Amino acid sequence: MHADFQTDLLAWYDRHAADLPWRSTRDSYRIWLSEVMLQQTQVETVKPYYARFLAAFPTVQDLAAAPLADVLKLWEGLGYYSRARHLHQTAQTVARDYGGQFPPTADELQTLPGIGRYTAGAIASIAFGQRVPVLDGNVIRVFARLTDLDADVTLPATKDRLWVQAEAWLPPARAGDYNQALMELGRVICRPRHPLCRDCPVQQYCRAFANGTQHQRPVKAKKAPTPHYDVSAGIIWNEHGQLLIAQRPPEGLLGGLWEFPGGKRENGETLPECLKRELREELAIEVEVGDLFMVVRHGFTHFRITLHAFTCRYVRGEPQRLGVHDFAWVLPDDLRRYSFGKADREVIKALEARGRMLL
Ligand code: SF4
């Protein structure tokens, strides 16, 4: 069964593979870049970022030599910023320790920052033709349906089984194309909500289709409700018409990005009280909290926030780097030179719109 399945899947891929910019190359730098960008991000979103990155950093050495701030700026809007930091670290390691060439095996690739088992398998099979599997969300869904798997795919033990299966089903050759075919099948045919079973090239091997259970696969345990936090942020003006912005510590959520300073509200605090406390704790400054400027709702992987941005007047205290990596007083026109997360960019957009209205 496996051989026929592999043949049919590869034949479909040969006829229907989408023409994606990273598919026309076997260059490990380009494959790696595309795979890191595609983690958690849709193909259409990645395309312009991929093109801009290659224009700015045509080789891994160019990326390694670039300041991290430039990398983060180019990454702005793509989300999951630890990917950008790891990208930069990996480029430096490859340039320094591997003479600018990515190591060809999945095991060695996995020692590099930001490269897990999936990404290592993708690079090793696509760029280097190694016979190693991949298992991402698309492949998990395809396998769970093909085998009509009724186990919870969010459990590590089930994932382990799926890795074993992914390895056992690899064809003797063309592992890279086969892996891409599986992922593409999951993306365009065996879609999460509305699988196009009638157009599916491997329908005859699919147990879920035969049993009519494709809509119940994969089985996933219900997630706990996503936590929510209220966050206060200050749009703090000084008497020179400058705004105070702060840079987050390099590690952790949105690491290295800039923001309007503030933080999470604690139990029993009002939003302005929270803001005053955060500014004391993180920057040692006192402000007068004015009007609520805007509210932005934003979702991260494991929680959601409501950002309440207040207009503030700087009162006293020389800013200090207590809980921030850096700070800067900047004119509104210069904000765009810094990298911000999505919620803060909404605030900047509103500030710019307000500025235009005042002109
Ligand atoms: Fe997915 Fe349907 Fe194809 Fe089965 S037949 S692999 S459920 S698209």
Side-chain angles (χ1 to χ4, degrees), residues 48 53 55 59 63 79 88 98 127 140 155 196 280 306 311 331 345:
F53 255 76
T59 67
L63 178 56
H88 193 233
Y98 291 90
I140 288 174
L155 295 175
L196 305 176
R280 259 182 236 126
T306 303
T311 305
L331 291 167
R345 274 185 289 125

Side-chain angles (χ1 to χ4, degrees), residues 2-20:
H2 291 170
D4 293 341
F5 167 80
Q6 294 152 359
T7 306
D8 288 353
L9 182 65
L10 281 165
W12 169 80
Y13 183 69
D14 288 340
R15 279 196 309 276
H16 296 285
D19 185 16
L20 302 175

Side-chain angles (χ1 to χ4, degrees), residues 178-299:
Y178 169 86
N179 285 338
Q180 291 186 88
L182 272 179
M183 292 190 274
E184 181 118 336
L185 185 77
R187 192 169 67 86
V188 301
I189 302 280
C190 196
R191 303 183 309 191
R193 294 231 175 107
H194 303 291
L196 305 176
C197 300
R198 275 200 305 188
D199 302 329
C200 178
V202 292
Q203 186 209 81
Q204 60 172 309
Y205 311 101
C206 182
R207 288 202 202 142
F209 178 76
N211 297 335
T213 52
Q214 62 270 43
H215 295 282
Q216 284 117 56
R217 305 287 178 259
V219 174
K220 287 184 184 173
K222 280 233 164 21
K223 281 190 198 150
T226 317
H228 170 266
Y229 305 106
D230 282 303
V231 172
S232 290
I235 303 168
I236 305 167
W237 296 94
N238 67 12
E239 74 268 29
H240 308 297
Q242 294 168 314
L243 286 160
L244 183 63
I245 57 172
Q247 189 179 29
R248 297 177 64 90
E251 294 306 327
L253 182 77
L254 303 176
L257 294 195
W258 291 80
E259 65 179 9
F260 294 100
K264 252 190 257 173
R265 178 167 69 165
E266 291 183 355
N267 279 342
E269 264 182 341
T270 65
L271 290 162
E273 282 167 0
C274 155
L275 185 52
K276 284 176 158 256
R277 174 185 54 74
E278 287 283 349
L279 295 173
R280 259 182 236 126
E281 287 173 3
E282 305 223 317
L283 286 150
I285 60 165
E286 293 294 333
V287 300
E288 189 182 290
V289 179
D291 294 337
L292 179 64
F293 177 73
M294 75 181 296
V295 174
V296 185
R297 292 184 176 78
H298 183 59

